[in-house]
Amino acid sequence: MNFFVKKVATATAILLSSTIISHAAQTDITIGMQLEPPNLDPTGGAAGAIDQVVYANIFEGLTRYQADGSIAPALAKSWNISDDGLSYTFHLHEGVKFHDGSSMDAEDVKFSLDRARAEDSTNAQKALFAGIASVDVIDATTVKITLSSPNGGFITNMAWGDAVIVAPESIGNAATNPIGTGPFVFSNWVQGDRIEISRNDNYWGNPVALDSATFKFISDPTAAFAAMMAGDLDAFPGYPAPETLPQFAADPRFTVIGGNTEGETILSTNNKDEHFSKLKVRKALAHAINRQEIIDGAMFGYGKPIGTHFAPHHPDYIDLTGNSNYDPELSKKLLSEAGYPNGFETTLKLPPPSYARRGGEIIAAQLRAVGIKAEISNLEWADWLKQVFKGKDYGLTIVSHTEPMDIGIYARPTYYFQYDNPDFQQLMTDLTAESDPSSRSAMLKKAQRIISEDYVNGYLFQLARTSVINSKIKGMWENSPTQATDLTGVSWTD
Amino acid sequence: MTHFPRTLIFGGILFSIFLLGALISFVWTPADVEILQITARFKLPSTAHWFGTDHFGRDIFSMIMVGARTSIAVAVVAVGIGIALGVPLGLWAAANHGHWLDDFIMRGNDLVFAFPSLIIAILITAVFGPSAFNAIIAIGIFNIPVFARISRGGALSIWTLDYILSARVAGKRAFRISAEHILPNIANLLIVQGTIQFSLGILAEAALSYVGLGVQPPTPSWGRMLADSQTMISIAPHLALFPGFAIILTVLGLNLMGDGLRDILDPRIRRTQR
Amino acid sequence: MKLLEVQDLSVSIHGTEILDNVSFNINESEIYGIVGESGSGKSMTALSLMGLLPNGSKSTGSASLSNTNLLKLSEEKMCSYRGNAIGMIFQEPMTALNPVQTIGKQVAETLIIHGQAKKKEALEIAREKLNRVGLFEEQFPLDKYPHELSGGQRQRVAIAMAIAMRPKLLIADEPTTALDVTTQSQILNLLKSLVEEESMALILITHDLAVISGLANKVAVMQKGKIVEKGKTNKIFKEMKHPYTKQLFSASNHVPERNTMAEETPLLELNHVIRKYKLPRENIFKAPQTFTAVNNVSFILKKGENLGLVGESGCGKSTLTRAILGLDELQSGEIFLEGHHVNAGKKLDSSLRRKMQVVFQDPFGSFNPRHKVGRLISEPFYLIEDRPTGDLLKNAINQALVDVGLNAEDAEKYIHEFSGGQRQRIAIARALIIKPSLIVLDEAVSALDVSIRAQVLDLLAELSNKFELSYLFISHDLSVVRNITDRVMVMKAGSIVESGDTQKVFENPTHPYTKELIAATPRLPENLTT
Amino acid sequence: MLQFALTRFISLSLSLIAASVVIFAVIEIIPGDPASFMLGINAQPDTIAALREQLGLNGSLLSRYVNWVSGMLVGDFGISYTYKVPVSELILARVWISLPLAVYALAISTLIAFPVGLIAAAKRGKTIDITIMGTTQLGIAIPNFWFAMILVLIFAINLRWFSAGGFPGWEEGFLLSIKSLTLPAIALALPQASILARIMRSSILDTLDQDYVRTARAKGLSQRQAIWRHALKNALIPVLTIIGMQFSFLMAGAIIIENVFFLPGLGRLIFQGITQRDLIVVESVVMLLVFAVIIVTFIVDLTYAAVDPRLRKR
């Protein structure tokens, strides 16, 4: 070990000295990504990897997420909302051009939105556009969108990667040759290896500092570690091997950022399961879980405990972890009361990410301690989608819900955890119609309480977004309010 | 038979160590491998934990003992499948030598050989889900043609011998001849090949578990121990080294045993060594 | 002029004594025969002269070739002697040539290795040498591969390789044992003429006294690593001072005593039997060709008769045997055993099945090494309805073993504990155990050394007298057939070309092929046989 | 020779047809829908249905099989569900990594195995033979992914002589590309070299026991000359088989190594295809690999015929 540390130190010293000499101001960056996007059309698939490459870099929407999670104007420089909350009039920037030189105007906005909500649309987040009644072009830079019912989150919806503005001429080829309005243009994709983008010199907004950027796909955590250590990569947002973070933290070459994501990592529970349909059992489950041990064991300390399905960095978040404190004795007692003095057997189906696989092993051990035998089966995503998500053939699973503000899923009785509570459903309907901030806040808090006290799922922790970046890079997003690698503010310090 | 080759003795000892460890693990291990102790993770080898502890604070020595059980069990059953299906196929093909059945069986064998085994194993587990059972099937399938081929080859050379003719003169049918005369005489070949396939089975199990397709947690397996620990190799190398050594030594032991067995059992080799 | 002087040559391999003080001298242009049974050390003598003893061998004494002690030469020096001063040919022509090299190259290699000629010239000389051994350009161009030649032709190539450098000494280790008689005589004639014309000496190693008698000037008789007698061939064969020499001689031409008791009832009857094989397709578009191995064969074997069937390898006699035993289906014709149809593929009536048994050639391949003798010899009881069990079976096994001159206790042993002769006795016991009327003897004594062979032949004669057995005696060895059968059939290319009383056929062959066969068979001088 | 080739060719075609049926059948029963995978957990059923239609997943089994096979015959492997580009393009891009990697690994293993095997055979029973045999046993026993991990630890992370993985692309320069394939090739080659060396040794020893080698020795060839001029060519026949088998193994079996070194090769394409249920990619690549194996076997067979005249006339 000492030998190793020394080696690294020497190597680092050598590297530092040579870097100072050779690099006056680096303008290119290589970024590691765990998953390769299947294609580059953000409006045609759910893969978060697509947005991680193209969001804000290549494609832009009417509005956009900022690093802190707030919504800012993007292609729309401003908007008015009618008093009844039904019609939104967006005023677009002038002179915006797509990368192919054609100009972006209101027709493109109408096209994009109509396309996304059309019958045969393959947009993965079609729900975002469900409330749109019509899209009308007022003039080249003005678009009016009419909703069928008020929607307090509409501006946020328009910031999603699935709602970016595309051109009818180029969208057909967006899968392999994305043409957007963003500050970077797509230049090359070596499938299976990397995607390269370069600066858009005709960008309508503030020019970016970087000349070019390369996204390199490294799915294997070990390989990711090796590639960072070997200097092959400059940054790895969402770094997949938290166990090695202490090593990077100790290394002056690197900075480790522990940011937030919108990912509530939960022990999803099948509420229609013969055992878990009983509230006492679910409560017992919640008290059997030692969150801190999971965070330490699976995430090596990165991640905030949560007691409900809500992001802790959100202003409306309330800490409800007390509802489900670690208390195995109480858990056993509850189980006996529910009629399971000797526990029972169930399944724990785990998707591929390490939070699920490692967390699953720990949870299985914790559940064993109170008498619940959870048989682990590790599934690929496709299989997980089929068995768990669609088939609802499971007892327990672990998954991180990374969509922002997604507490609404608890209002869908057919959603995979099958929570059916009419009160909650009514609350969500009311919430959608409400646009007063303080009422909304109160409603959101109430919603958090309901699901926490119903022990719908085991609430584990908010997925941390740990990124390892070269110490000389600044401007990377710390948090991940949406899945994106926004390079617009990134630059090298010397 | 009194003189055992050194390779056999050395290999036998190596393998017996792991076999013994696997057997003992049924009744006793230094620590319970299903109990996690996160606070005690990454402990270096000490008297309390001979091989240290892993990222969940489990005792690596105990895990290697139980992992041996998994590896050996998977390999044994996979070889068993190969023998149980491959040998009859091979004998059947040999008994029908010259007939289209023989050709058909052997071409089928070639076809299985043509498939990239690891990929098929991955496909199988994609179809049926990852589990020890499916890992066994995936490894077992590729053992079938191996044993079919070797028993056919051995059987063909015995079919030409006169005692087979004598048996046929006595009215014995191919099935009986295969069971009574051929099988006992190709047993040598099968034992030697079985040892080799056994070691390959252990490697294959490790590879499958390594990509997450073998036995499921919490049951320890050497391949998954490697997979789990590989990102930590620079902070806690012992996590990857011990299971790695376990695989290497078991396979080495089996291969040496195979070599030694071949020396004393395979008449062909015996002749050439004279 | 002395060419080779071997003095007190002893060889041991891993401590086991193989040769014990072997001494003999060979003059130039002389044919020196070394004769002995298997394990007598005759091949080891040759290999020690060539310096090609197996690993772990130690040799003492001396072997001087033109006053150079071969045993003391360094390996490097020895290489320059091998193929140059001493050539050697081996028994097995089928495997003695490199399958992936043309015959021209292989012959030329001898010349190139010894620096005699460069490649082109070496090939020219190779051509001459091949012509010299009777393989002429038109049929045997230099670019032929060994697999395109017959056994005899390959042996000629081997000879051409061995004599390419005109060695002073040629060693031929059983050069004709694997060949048919007609080929054997051609090769022996070739060797003889080479010795005369190239003025080289030849050591001819063989188990066959008859081969030696016609060829060698001098002979050494070896037994268990020792030379028991040596000297001029005529003298040795005439005097036979050593009892072993005498024993060899009498065994070589042994005529077992037996009664002829053929009845008129036919036991086995073949009517126009035809057996065809499909050959492997030459290519997938051609229909596979058929090969007629047995072509319209008819004969009758009478009860109590010993019938011989002779022919060279590939003549179809083994195929015929299998057809008679009901192992293969016929394409046409019929076989009757005691008037019952023998129909391959159909179950043979058990009363019929027990009437016919077989003894094969190979004493090593005839038994399952995993079974005890008792189980081995009781195998014919399988499928017999009234098969004995328990003590009855035990008695039957014991009786069969005693009948063939073995002990009842042998039933508990495994086959590897027996010698070749004993194994053949066990094979006979296996045939005998169900008291058949006919035993098919397929080359049953061909693999045995002469003295053992004589004993087995005696046993066969005795058993046939005792149990009124009929034999169908199939062999390539004319002398054996001559001594044990009443009637003989000569088979060539699937057909029986001549048949008749053994004595008559051998004395007055009518068919040219029979004549050729008999003429080619080396014989011991009549006056020497006792 | 031509007939021999023709016969082998027809049996090869039959094998390919059989293989295509097997592959198609296996792929068909893999659970999981590519459309729902692509659209993720918030997708609505009608969206998925629309995508299924668009991907052509709704045809009958037979018609899809026929489409697939007939497409392949003209080089059209279909369009990747996830990448939305022709599968042939994907394969073409990946082959230029997998193939050089396989060739490189094979070259390394052959270059090591031949001399090592020869030396061991020539010095049978001597210390050097025993050492070599022991070392090769060890080489066979080491799992290549473990070895790859150790190589990365030492050469990429500690010494930083090589990058930890990835592939710059041939257009970035031959040497750079070869360098990036070096560690993976070594990791792949080590066990192969061990196996090959052992086969080489035993094959030579087998041929040394043949009668024709004794004949050659009787002609006056030294042990070394006999090995070189007679044993070697004959010994090469089984060695060739193994090389052929290894090549196909290296083409397909490098999945794990490609993952460790994040090389965008065929193995990783399949692995990714399976996890993303991009089944059209999976079935085409597996078919291609089987095809490669069968072709290599075919070539090995023809090489046999070239080496061994006995086969030529058949």
Side-chain angles (χ1 to χ4, degrees), chain A residues 36-42 44-45 49-50 174-176 189, chain D residues 38 81-84:
Chain A
E36 179 179 20
N39 61 71
L40 295 177
D41 178 2
I50 303 176
T176 51
W189 184 1
Chain D
M38 286 164 68
Y81 299 156
T82 49
Y83 280 128
K84 298 197 168 140

Side-chain angles (χ1 to χ4, degrees), chain B residues 138-187:
Chain B
I139 301 169
I141 284 182
F142 288 94
N143 275 329
I144 296 173
V146 172
F147 284 103
R149 193 170 278 194
I150 196 152
S151 38
R152 176 178 174 270
L156 277 183
S157 64
I158 293 173
W159 268 101
T160 62
L161 294 178
D162 285 343
Y163 64 83
I164 301 299
L165 277 181
S166 300
R168 291 183 62 199
V169 169
K172 291 185 177 170
R173 300 280 156 147
F175 179 80
R176 198 179 177 93
I177 291 175
S178 294
E180 214 170 81
H181 290 300
I182 309 241
L183 194 55
N185 284 298
I186 59 168

Side-chain angles (χ1 to χ4, degrees), chain A residues 222 225 243-244 296 368 378, chain B residues 34 41 130 216 230-231 234:
Chain A
T222 319
F225 168 75
E243 59 274 26
T244 57
D296 288 343
R368 234 179 350 257
N378 290 338
Chain B
E34 297 199 354
R41 67 181 169 197
Q216 298 296 290
Q230 60 169 322
T231 51
S234 56

Side-chain angles (χ1 to χ4, degrees), chain B residues 21 39 57 99 126 160-161 195-196 198 228 245 266:
Chain B
T39 46
H99 194 255
T160 62
L161 294 178
T195 321
I196 292 165
F198 192 10
D228 284 349
F245 289 150
D266 192 336

